[in-house]
Amino acid sequence: MRATTRERDVPLEGWSPLEFWRRRPETALAIAVGAMAVAGLVLRLVELAERPFHHDESIDAWYSWRFLEDTYEGYDPVYHGPLRFYLTAAFFWVFGESHTTARMVAVLAGVGMIVLPWFLRRSLGPVATLCASAVLAFSPIALYMTRLGREDALTAFITLAMMVVVVRFLDRPRLLLPALFAFLLAAGFAVKETTFIVVFIFGGFLLALLGEQAVRQAFPADSEAEPGRAEPGGAAGWSWMLPIGLVPMGIAFGVSAYYNAEVFVTLGVYGVLMVMVVLMLASPREIWDLPVVRAARGVPGWGWVLAAAVFLFFFAMWFTVFFTNSEGFMDGFTEGITYWRGEQDTNRGSEPWHYYLYTIPLYEYLVCILAVIGTVHVFRNPTFVGKFMVWTAVASWFSYSWASERFPWLALHIVVPMAFLAGYGVQVLWRAGKKMWMPAVWVVLAGLVATTLFFAWRTNYVNQRDPRELLTQVHTTDDYLDTVERIEALNEYSKSIGEGPVTVAVDNAISVPNLWYFRGYEGLRWTDSASAQNASADFVLALAGSNIAGIAPDLADHQTTRLPLRDWWAPQFESYHDGWFTGWGNWLVDREVWNEATLGSTDFDLSVSPRALDLEARMDAVE
């Protein structure tokens, strides 16, 4: 409020945009961020329903539909937390079931992320704030993953919101901020188990910060700075924080790799080492007076009790399906972590540890370049927010590369903190605007921005389900979607002429995405090789090679066609360097793959009855 009052006290000398920015910086920044959010919303809504549902999207939408139909049975860690089912079901209830409404939670989470940098504007500065919002609005990965009806967009929004609350709390402790953080933490657990990684990253940062502040207290020449302002003494903060935080992390994960220890042993070793480091640097009495601890002490005890109550209430409400399934409360604490721990040995997707080291730069090369510049700036001019973003970005790269399940949608969690570092990078270039070499830099930067926007457009609207795009990762095909639309059209025609519904039999082995696409379909039946003897339907969809059509005598006269259900490209990245990286170059320019033999698909056999073929002929004649 004080900043707004000061702005109004300064008269405008004119109404040019530059003058308005100079005299009304907060208002101008609010308008700019708002415009970014509107543009981001429009981009996420354009052709939102055109792409077939991804494997995981169809599961999320189906569970949401089941909740709306009152058949949802509660939390299953295989399909992650229940909160986004409730939210998506709300959209279904208000606006109806469709591809668009099933993806609206992701869309709105993406728009929310565009707005959140505004709440850190006084720590970041206007240029870094605006650039962070721009990256979250237009970057290829952020745009793609917030148009995908999975849980990662909502998880990323919740994580960024928690980061904002942490910064605001340590800047100025307020009574209700711990309760808000507790609400967000409960929401994070109720959306996805990667919140355990978020807790690890945040906890590691706070422990390293405690260690750094203990050193600063022992050597008062390095005085403490406010969270949003540069610290005195150059990189004094980083000279202590990096070894305090990263050396124990390196020891813990090195020991884990050598002894093949399970994930919680590794995290436990890291936590113990960090606590030992802090205790070696300061006595318990001295720790009590550290700035982080003082901030926590600034909230009365009942404020922390309120935060705990908020966490437990919402955690219980969401995991017990609004208090209708009491077992869900303990399942929320135990099942998710048990499942996640077991998955560490699975390596679903079979991607190498360096997966994100090539996937992210191929799409976000501009963000990576600017983030490196921003990181160097933070090292030279350390601030609390800058260090928090560097730590979160580096720890996210490390953590998601270390976790055995590596997929393109998880890259979003790495890109989010990088957006803020990219903002710092642009701020550095902006301040160097009068130097002789800057015009050439701006020309290069403009070219990189243009190509990034082009790739964002091509990935999200032209190749949005093309297997040659690394972001698609085993996507449902247009052939399958054409099959569904063919059945739906014929079913409507058949009922309109009084011949009843078109029957469909689906192989249990390809239940996904058929569960969503044929939800509530009156002529649907499920089958497999054991029950195929009795299978009889106008359309039979079976996993290729299952021979259901060959087993069932009633299907002998059906016309069978093999079609792709899900397709992919397995690039074999160890061969990308053949021909001096020409493989990467050709792929960047026109998405030309360098090993076509690894383009593949999971196929299904579509068997169509003579009755259905006759109906189609009559329908085509009428049209």
Side-chain angles (χ1 to χ4, degrees):
M1 182 64 69
R2 290 194 302 270
T4 303
T5 302
R6 285 198 298 269
E7 281 189 359
R8 291 175 178 174
D9 288 342
V10 179
L12 286 172
E13 297 178 2
W15 285 100
S16 68
L18 183 60
E19 173 67 11
F20 189 81
W21 181 272
R22 288 178 58 248
R23 302 288 183 172
R24 303 284 190 271
E26 289 233 342
T27 304
L29 183 60
I31 294 172
V33 171
M36 292 283 184
V38 172
L41 176 62
V42 172
L43 287 173
R44 284 155 177 78
L45 291 177
V46 171
E47 298 185 1
L48 184 62
E50 297 302 312
R51 187 177 69 243
F53 260 35
H54 186 276
H55 176 281
D56 294 353
E57 283 186 292
S58 66
I59 294 175
D60 284 16
W62 182 67
Y63 269 102
S64 302
W65 176 77
R66 288 190 65 190
F67 177 74
L68 190 65
E69 295 292 308
D70 200 26
T71 59
Y72 176 61
E73 297 176 354
Y75 172 58
D76 184 342
V78 176
Y79 305 113
H80 307 300
L83 179 56
R84 89 261 193 210
F85 302 149
Y86 309 149
L87 296 174
T88 303
F91 278 98
F92 288 168
W93 183 64
V94 176
F95 301 106
E97 304 153 25
S98 68
H99 284 195
T100 298
T101 52
R103 288 168 170 154
M104 280 307 297
V105 170
V107 167
L108 295 181
V111 175
M113 284 193 289
I114 299 170
V115 175
L116 282 176
W118 161 260
F119 296 97
L120 297 178
R121 63 194 182 280
R122 289 174 186 153
S123 300
L124 295 169
V127 174
T129 299
L130 190 59
C131 290
S133 292
V135 170
L136 295 173
F138 306 120
S139 89
I141 290 177
L143 183 56
Y144 191 94
M145 297 309 166
T146 53
R147 287 165 50 85
L148 189 71
R150 281 182 48 88
E151 68 279 352
D152 289 279
L154 184 56
T155 303
F157 168 76
I158 292 170
T159 301
L160 182 54
M162 287 195 292
M163 294 175 69
V164 171
V165 172
V166 168
V167 172
R168 297 291 290 265
F169 176 78
L170 292 179
D171 184 19
R172 185 181 175 187
R174 296 183 181 180
L175 180 63
L176 295 181
L177 286 178
L180 177 57
F181 183 87
F183 170 80
L184 292 169
L185 184 62
F189 281 117
V191 173
K192 194 171 187 181
E193 293 76 14
T194 50
T195 303
F196 289 112
I197 292 179
V198 175
V199 171
F200 163 72
I201 292 171
F202 284 17
F205 176 79
L206 290 175
L207 286 172
L209 186 63
L210 278 174
E212 177 198 313
Q213 291 180 349
V215 173
R216 286 177 171 275
Q217 188 165 272
F219 301 94
D222 293 331
S223 59
E224 189 66 35
E226 296 182 22
R229 299 194 177 96
E231 298 171 354
W238 283 107
S239 64
W240 292 110
M241 192 170 198
L242 285 181
I244 288 169
L246 295 182
V247 170
M249 185 182 294
I251 294 173
F253 285 97
V255 171
S256 171
Y258 183 80
Y259 289 103
N260 195 26
E262 72 162 30
V263 57
F264 287 103
V265 173
T266 304
L267 299 181
V269 170
Y270 173 66
V272 169
L273 287 174
M274 286 297 297
V275 171
M276 289 175 61
V277 168
V278 173
L279 290 175
M280 285 190 296
L281 292 170
S283 67
R285 181 183 297 274
E286 292 169 332
I287 292 174
W288 190 251
D289 291 326
L290 295 179
V292 171
V293 180
R294 286 204 307 268
R297 288 164 50 199
V299 174
W302 70 267
W304 293 105
V305 172
L306 174 64
V310 166
F311 176 84
L312 291 173
F313 175 80
F314 285 101
F315 188 93
M317 182 176 70
W318 291 324
F319 277 98
T320 62
V321 195
F322 297 92
F323 306 108
T324 62
N325 178 13
S326 59
E327 295 180 358
F329 181 73
M330 288 308 302
D331 288 346
F333 282 108
T334 60
E335 293 297 318
I337 197 66
T338 301
Y339 173 77
W340 185 69
R341 180 177 61 184
E343 285 296 295
Q344 295 309 301
D345 296 327
T346 304
N347 190 15
R348 290 172 55 199
S350 303
E351 299 293 355
W353 66 268
H354 52 283
Y355 172 72
Y356 302 110
L357 289 174
Y358 49 70
T359 301
I360 293 177
L362 282 171
Y363 288 95
E364 306 290 356
Y365 47 85
L366 174 59
V367 171
C368 290
I369 293 170
L370 293 174
V372 169
I373 297 173
T375 301
V376 173
H377 168 75
V378 172
F379 269 82
R380 290 182 169 182
N381 305 275
T383 64
F384 174 80
V385 176
K387 291 190 290 188
F388 195 15
M389 294 302 172
V390 171
W391 179 280
T392 305
V394 173
S396 295
W397 275 94
F398 186 87
S399 299
Y400 287 103
S401 298
W402 166 72
S404 68
E405 188 172 307
R406 306 175 189 98
F407 287 107
W409 41 84
L410 295 175
L412 176 63
H413 306 292
I414 302 173
V415 169
V416 169
M418 289 179 63
F420 291 85
L421 297 178
Y424 280 121
V426 173
Q427 183 174 274
V428 170
L429 298 177
W430 182 265
R431 290 175 177 174
K434 295 183 179 180
K435 296 189 176 180
M436 293 182 58
W437 43 266
M438 280 308 299
V441 171
W442 289 122
V443 169
V444 172
L445 187 62
L448 293 176
V449 169
T451 56
T452 298
L453 293 176
F454 169 75
F455 289 140
W457 167 77
R458 182 170 67 178
T459 302
N460 282 277
Y461 306 107
V462 179
N463 296 342
Q464 55 182 325
R465 60 132 264 96
D466 193 319
R468 298 172 300 173
E469 292 286 351
L470 298 178
L471 301 185
T472 60
Q473 192 79 12
V474 193
H475 210 290
T476 306
T477 65
D478 291 321
D479 296 280
Y480 171 80
L481 186 58
D482 292 342
T483 299
V484 173
E485 293 173 349
R486 174 186 179 186
I487 293 172
E488 289 175 343
L490 192 60
N491 184 55
E492 291 298 319
Y493 173 75
S494 179
K495 290 192 294 185
S496 70
I497 62 174
E499 296 195 17
V502 169
T503 56
V504 179
V506 179
D507 185 356
N508 288 324
I510 53 171
S511 60
V512 179
N514 289 291
L515 285 167
W516 164 252
Y517 278 101
F518 290 105
R519 67 196 182 281
Y521 190 87
E522 59 180 313
L524 178 69
R525 68 193 64 171
W526 295 94
T527 187
D528 54 29
S529 297
S531 60
Q533 197 72 20
N534 301 318
S536 179
D538 294 314
F539 289 87
V540 179
L541 286 70
L543 181 66
S546 66
N547 201 31
I548 286 178
I551 295 173
D554 292 344
L555 305 182
D557 56 351
H558 282 46
Q559 183 183 94
T560 300
T561 306
R562 182 159 294 183
L563 298 169
L565 175 63
R566 290 182 288 270
D567 52 13
W568 64 82
W569 174 41
Q572 294 181 354
F573 289 103
E574 64 273 10
S575 65
Y576 71 91
H577 58 275
D578 292 347
W580 292 98
F581 296 93
T582 54
W584 281 132
N586 293 336
W587 181 84
L588 280 170
V589 172
D590 58 14
R591 291 307 189 254
E592 176 185 335
V593 303
W594 58 79
N595 47 357
E596 292 189 9
T598 59
L599 281 167
S601 64
T602 297
D603 299 334
F604 73 101
D605 289 330
L606 174 66
S607 299
V608 186
S609 71
R611 172 181 179 265
L613 293 172
D614 177 65
L615 277 170
E616 280 189 315
R618 283 186 279 162
M619 183 177 66
D620 293 341
V622 171
E623 293 178 353

